[in-house]
Amino acid sequence: RKELVRRSVYITLAVVLIGYAGVCAAMYVFQRSLLYYPQPRMVTATESTMRLPVDGAELVVTVRPYDGPKAIVYFGGNGEDVSQNLASFVNTFPDHALYLMHYRGYGGSTGKPTEKANVADGLALIEKVRALHPEIAIFGRSLGSGVAVQVASRVAASRLILITPYDSIV
């Protein structure tokens, strides 16, 4: 009887450990699809769209052109269609040009998103925007907060605003 109980405990423990290892393995294998969840673009008007050729891809950037020194560059979250923020940003920041970057694979941009590509693409966008607007505020939300911090650490920005940043992606 005692041996049967001990054997049941070992079998249960083995099943739990194997199940846990399986969940961990699945999360490792599918981490890219858990981290990046590309969304289509809802705001498709050509006057609200800029195409930015970058190394190995072409990015779509939702824009609100504005003549003046101030601009906002926005990096969105992992499952966000940044174009849906355009109307609220226009109302909130009426005296800024707006540039909302769709990562590779998002909103009509070509390619696959990676951390390295997102940061390089963000730097390319900042370079393009700086030619028109000397005062750039960088916004990052959720996944985009990591992009925003890395971009802001390499270029001069008037402000860095992080919305719901993560403390660890591990």
Side-chain angles (χ1 to χ4, degrees):
R1 169 110 175 123
K2 203 176 201 181
E3 185 60 36
L4 184 59
V5 170
R6 182 178 290 152
R7 182 181 212 119
S8 295
V9 168
Y10 287 145
I11 289 172
T12 303
L13 185 58
V15 167
V16 167
L17 288 175
I18 290 169
Y20 178 75
V23 168
C24 289
M27 288 180 71
Y28 179 79
V29 169
F30 297 109
Q31 66 184 316
R32 178 174 253 0
S33 62
L34 295 171
L35 186 58
Y36 296 110
Y37 189 69
Q39 297 296 308
R41 179 171 32 114
M42 296 303 207
V43 176
T44 58
T46 54
E47 66 274 6
S48 300
T49 304
M50 176 180 86
R51 299 213 172 259
L52 179 64
V54 292
D55 187 31
E58 182 181 68
L59 301 180
V60 172
V61 181
T62 297
V63 299
R64 195 284 296 264
Y66 184 83
D67 289 331
K70 298 178 183 177
I72 291 172
V73 175
Y74 178 75
F75 303 105
N78 70 333
E80 181 178 0
D81 169 17
V82 296
S83 71
Q84 290 186 319
N85 296 315
L86 186 61
S88 66
F89 275 38
V90 166
N91 290 333
T92 306
F93 304 103
D95 61 342
H96 288 72
L98 303 171
Y99 298 87
L100 291 67
M101 188 177 90
H102 296 269
Y103 303 124
R104 294 176 188 220
Y106 287 67
S109 294
T110 62
K112 290 189 179 260
T114 65
E115 179 183 6
K116 184 178 179 180
N118 290 345
V119 172
D121 296 346
L123 290 168
L125 178 58
I126 293 286
E127 183 179 318
K128 176 96 172 164
V129 171
R130 187 160 317 281
L132 303 170
H133 311 281
E135 189 177 324
I136 300 173
I138 300 174
F139 283 45
R141 188 180 86 71
S142 190
L143 180 72
S145 66
V147 178
V149 165
Q150 290 186 62
V151 168
S153 73
R154 296 179 184 151
V155 299
S158 64
R159 288 173 184 76
L160 172 63
I161 294 96
L162 305 179
I163 306 159
T164 62
Y166 53 87
D167 61 357
S168 172
I169 207 138
V170 175

